[in-house]
Amino acid sequence: MSKAFKQITTSILLLLVLPFSAAKAQSILRDAETEDFLHEVSDPIFIAAGLNPSSVHLYLLHDNSINAFVTGGQNIFIHSGLILEANNVNEFLGVMAHETCHIACGHRVRTASALGTAGTTSILSMVLGAAAILAGGADAGMGIMMAGQSMAQGQFLAYSRGQESEADLAGARYLQEAGIPGEGMIAFFEKLRDQEILAQVRQDPYVRSHPLNRTRIMQLQEVVGDSPYAGQPPNPDMNEKFNRLKAKLAGYLFEPRRTLRDYPLSDTSASARYARVYAYHKALEWDAALSEADALIAMEPNNPYFYEIKGQILFENGRVEQSLPVFKQAVALAPRQPLIATALGQAMVSTEDEKLMADAIPILEAATRQDRNNSFAWFNLAKAYAWMGREAEASLATAERFYSGGSPMQAVMHAQRAMEGFDEGTPEWLRAQDILYVSQEAAEKFRRQQERQRRQQDRQRLQEFE
C-alpha cells in the first residue's frame, strides 16, 4: 500500500448515503434518478423558451422551505421543500416555467440596470437634499432626501413586480408550447398566496422573493384558460416519476417514524416502497430495506435505480462483495449515468483488491469525463491511482476533487505535487498548471477576504473595549 493511498484514505470523509448524496456542506443533493427526471420534465420548457437544455444547470438543495431561484448564467436552484409541497408534476412544472423566464427574459441583466436606475435616483436626491440643507433649508433638504429614497425604492419594487408578471405570462406560454396544462402553476401560486398574510419570518422564501397578488393570478387564469391543454390531467408517466421522487426525498429527509406513517405497509406502490427503503435504512433495519428493494426490482426488473438502491444498501451494510454484481447490473442498464458508475467504482475500490482497483480506474475516469464536478468519483479515482502506485495521477485527481469542490488552497497543494510528477508540457502537466493558476487566484482572494474580516473584527473589539 502506497504512502499516498494511506494519506487519501485517512484524510477524506465519504458523504454518500444511498443514491442521494450531499455535496458542498451538505446543501446540494445529488441523485442519478432525480437529476435525470428534472431534466426530462423541464427540457421541453427550456426548448419552448429558446434555451439549450444542456446549458441549463439544475441543482436540488437540501432545504425544506418552498423556494426556487435563478443565479448567474443559466442555473436554477430548487429547494427540496418545493418538490415535497407540490401535489403533482404540473404544479412543479408551473414553477419551473416561471423561473425559466427569469433566464430567457434576461431578468438578471435587466435587474442590474434597474438597480442602477434606482441608485441614480437615490444619489441625486441625496445631492439635492444636501444642497438644500447647506442653503439653510434643513427641513426641505431632509424632505428631498426621504422622497428620493422612497422614489428609488418604488422604482425598483415596481420593476420587480413587472418582472414577476412577465415571468407568469411567459411561463404559461412555455407550458402551452410544451403541451403542458397551465393550471398547475395557478394551483401552486394560490397555495403560496395564502402565506402572504404571515409575518416574514414565517413565510417561505418564494413568497418573499416572488410577491403574489390576486390581480396577477386572475391575469394568469385568463391566459391558461385559453390553452388547448386546459383542463387536462398531468401526464401519468411523468406524475408517477414525480411521486417517486417525492417519496425518495421524504424517506431521505424525514425521520423514519414520519415516513412510515405517511407511507404505511398497506401501500404497496413503488413510491411507498421507495420511501420505506430510506426509512428502514435510516433506522438500520437492513433486512427490511433490502426486502423493499427486492420488491421494487420484482416490479420493474429493468429499472437501474432500483438496483442502485439495493447495491448501496448492501455496500453500506458491509456486504461489499454482494453489492458488486448489483451495481454492475445498474451500470449495464444505465451505462451513461456517471453517479451510478461512481457507486460501482467506489465499491470496487473499497475492496482494496488490486485487480478490482485496476478495473475501477477506467470506470471512474469515464465518470469524471461525463461529470467534472463529481467529487466522489475524483476521490475514488485518486484512491485507486495511489493504490496502483500512480502517484502523480493520484495528486492530479485529488487536485481536481478540491478544485471542483471549491477548496482552492488544497487544490493548489495537490496541483503542485502533480506538476512535479508529470513531464512538462504533457496534457496532465498542463491541466495541473491550469488548476494551480486558477486556484492560486481564488485562494488569494479568499485570504484577502479573511484578512478584511479579521481587521473588521479587531476594530469591533477595540470599539467595545473603549
Side-chain angles (χ1 to χ4, degrees), residues 20-42:
F20 273 112
S21 67
K24 292 187 179 179
Q26 296 188 343
S27 60
I28 296 179
L29 295 174
R30 299 213 61 190
D31 171 63
E33 183 177 17
T34 298
E35 292 179 4
D36 278 354
F37 169 79
L38 291 177
H39 266 288
E40 181 181 2
V41 295
S42 301

Side-chain angles (χ1 to χ4, degrees), residues 182-249:
E183 285 89 351
M185 180 189 287
I186 296 173
F188 200 78
F189 284 0
E190 286 279 15
K191 185 183 304 181
L192 293 176
R193 194 172 68 90
D194 294 337
Q195 286 202 17
E196 288 192 318
I197 62 175
L198 300 176
Q200 283 216 349
V201 293
R202 295 173 56 202
Q203 289 176 344
D204 276 296
Y206 203 82
V207 177
R208 296 195 294 271
S209 59
H210 296 68
L212 299 164
N213 56 59
R214 186 60 189 166
T215 302
R216 273 182 58 194
I217 292 177
M218 289 177 65
Q219 184 182 37
L220 189 56
Q221 286 173 330
E222 292 181 10
V223 176
V224 167
D226 293 334
S227 169
Y229 307 101
Q232 292 185 9
N235 178 289
D237 292 336
M238 292 299 102
N239 206 49
E240 169 63 17
K241 291 181 179 180
F242 180 74
N243 287 334
R244 292 183 183 187
L245 169 57
K246 283 186 62 174
K248 289 178 72 172
L249 275 175

